[in-house]
Amino acid sequence: MAENGEAAPLVTLAHVDKYFGDVHVLKDINLTVSRGEVLVVIGPSGGGKSTLCRTINRLETIDAGSIVFDGRPLPAEGRELARLRSEVGMVFQSFNLFAHKTILENVALGPVKVRKVPRAQAEERALQLLERVGIAAQADKYPAQLSGGQQQRTAIARALAMDPKMILFDEPTSALDPEMVQEVLDVMVELAREGMTMVVVTHEMGFARRAANRVVFMADGQIVEESAPEEFFTNPGTERAKDFLSKIL
Ligand code: ADP
Ligand code: MG
């Protein structure tokens, strides 16, 4: 957990419902994420995991219920929304780096554009972050010249460059070749140890065991089960989770 042991949760979702047309994608979701907590979200495809992440930084609106981030309801628009987005980092399955910018430029871009940090200062910080995720030597290369694992570590450095209050990871290792999964998970475990608040959609049991405080099992738009990682993997409380685990393990 984080060194600042503040009791107030960083994010609280209460009775959140979300529809896409007639499809009820999030059903009465109640969830809190504490400061410094690492929450792993796991569950079958189509269960609403990505949508859940996307509601937290308001890439998706909700149809009912409320989401409070850092003590305030999620802003609908304008400056406050831009601020929220900059405070909630997001790392996707596809790295979404700018192909025509170097690794260093990719990481420095957010602070320069959004925070108006002078370029030289932003690049100095970007280089430190690239060191932290172990790819400073690649700083002047372009994304296509990097491995998938290196690109994803760049995406993590880019998220960190905004000094986020939390980072949402949506299946960050799913698109990677198997031999590159670990180098990305290692960076994430390190972040967790440093106290970053993280919501991580992943099926990587090893990561959940090493870093998660809690596992949430989601299916059909509902939170079916919420447990300690070890308990979830060794003794799931629901048939639904047992069935799911039997398929991925
Ligand atoms: P998961 O990440 O667990 O696989 P998603 O949140 O991506 O699940 O999807 C949950 C459900 O919402 C699925 O039925 C999916 O088809 C649907 N869905 C997701 N995004 C959209 C969208 N933009 N428009 C319509 N339906 C969507
Ligand atoms: Mg998804």
Side-chain angles (χ1 to χ4, degrees):
M1 300 290 271
E3 54 285 356
N4 72 14
E6 287 173 59
L10 183 59
V11 191
T12 304
L13 291 88
H15 302 294
V16 169
D17 282 287
K18 167 76 183 170
Y19 293 83
F20 284 118
D22 293 338
V23 187
H24 199 175
V25 186
L26 297 178
K27 300 173 182 166
D28 193 30
I29 299 293
N30 295 288
L31 185 67
T32 63
V33 184
S34 303
R35 289 167 206 272
E37 186 174 33
V38 178
L39 180 73
V40 160
V41 181
I42 191 166
S45 181
K49 304 179 300 296
S50 294
T51 306
L52 176 73
C53 286
R54 292 165 58 84
T55 62
I56 295 176
N57 64 357
R58 220 172 184 285
L59 287 170
E60 299 287 356
T61 56
I62 58 176
D63 296 304
S66 66
I67 303 180
V68 172
F69 178 79
D70 203 15
R72 295 184 219 183
L74 287 196
E77 56 189 10
R79 233 176 236 257
E80 287 298 299
L81 179 57
R83 199 174 65 138
L84 170 82
R85 296 257 169 83
S86 75
E87 288 179 345
V88 181
M90 185 119 198
V91 175
F92 303 92
Q93 180 175 330
S94 53
F95 327 116
N96 297 352
L97 299 173
F98 289 107
H100 57 287
K101 291 191 185 294
T102 66
I103 295 309
L104 187 75
E105 287 166 346
N106 266 279
V107 175
L109 192 66
V112 170
K113 292 270 183 217
V114 180
R115 296 271 164 75
K116 311 299 174 203
V117 175
R119 180 171 298 275
Q121 191 184 322
E123 292 192 348
E124 192 183 318
R125 173 92 201 291
L127 196 58
Q128 290 167 2
L129 290 169
L130 290 174
E131 258 161 41
R132 187 162 155 197
V133 300
I135 46 170
Q138 319 296 328
D140 295 327
K141 293 191 177 162
Y142 289 85
Q145 297 173 286
L146 267 58
S147 71
Q150 290 172 327
Q151 289 188 59
Q152 193 60 302
R153 286 188 279 153
T154 305
I156 294 172
R158 178 182 55 181
L160 289 171
M162 298 298 282
D163 294 318
K165 291 184 173 155
M166 81 181 295
I167 304 183
L168 305 167
F169 293 84
D170 192 0
E171 304 207 29
T173 60
S174 304
L176 298 177
D177 291 335
E179 73 270 23
M180 289 166 191
V181 169
Q182 202 52 52
E183 68 191 46
V184 172
L185 293 179
D186 285 344
V187 168
M188 291 167 60
V189 168
E190 195 51 39
L191 282 184
R193 296 216 169 111
E194 288 164 12
M196 178 61 74
T197 307
M198 297 161 61
V199 172
V200 184
V201 179
T202 186
H203 295 166
E204 292 291 338
M205 204 169 65
F207 173 79
R209 285 193 152 130
R210 280 166 79 196
N213 300 101
R214 241 181 335 145
V215 171
V216 163
F217 176 66
M218 248 188 118
D220 290 334
Q222 286 173 308
I223 293 178
V224 176
E225 185 168 340
E226 219 182 294
S227 13
E230 204 52 42
E231 184 188 331
F232 179 76
F233 292 111
T234 55
N235 188 23
T238 59
E239 281 307 315
R240 199 72 219 264
K242 258 178 226 169
D243 182 52
F244 175 75
L245 285 172
S246 73
K247 286 174 185 144
I248 62 159
L249 297 183

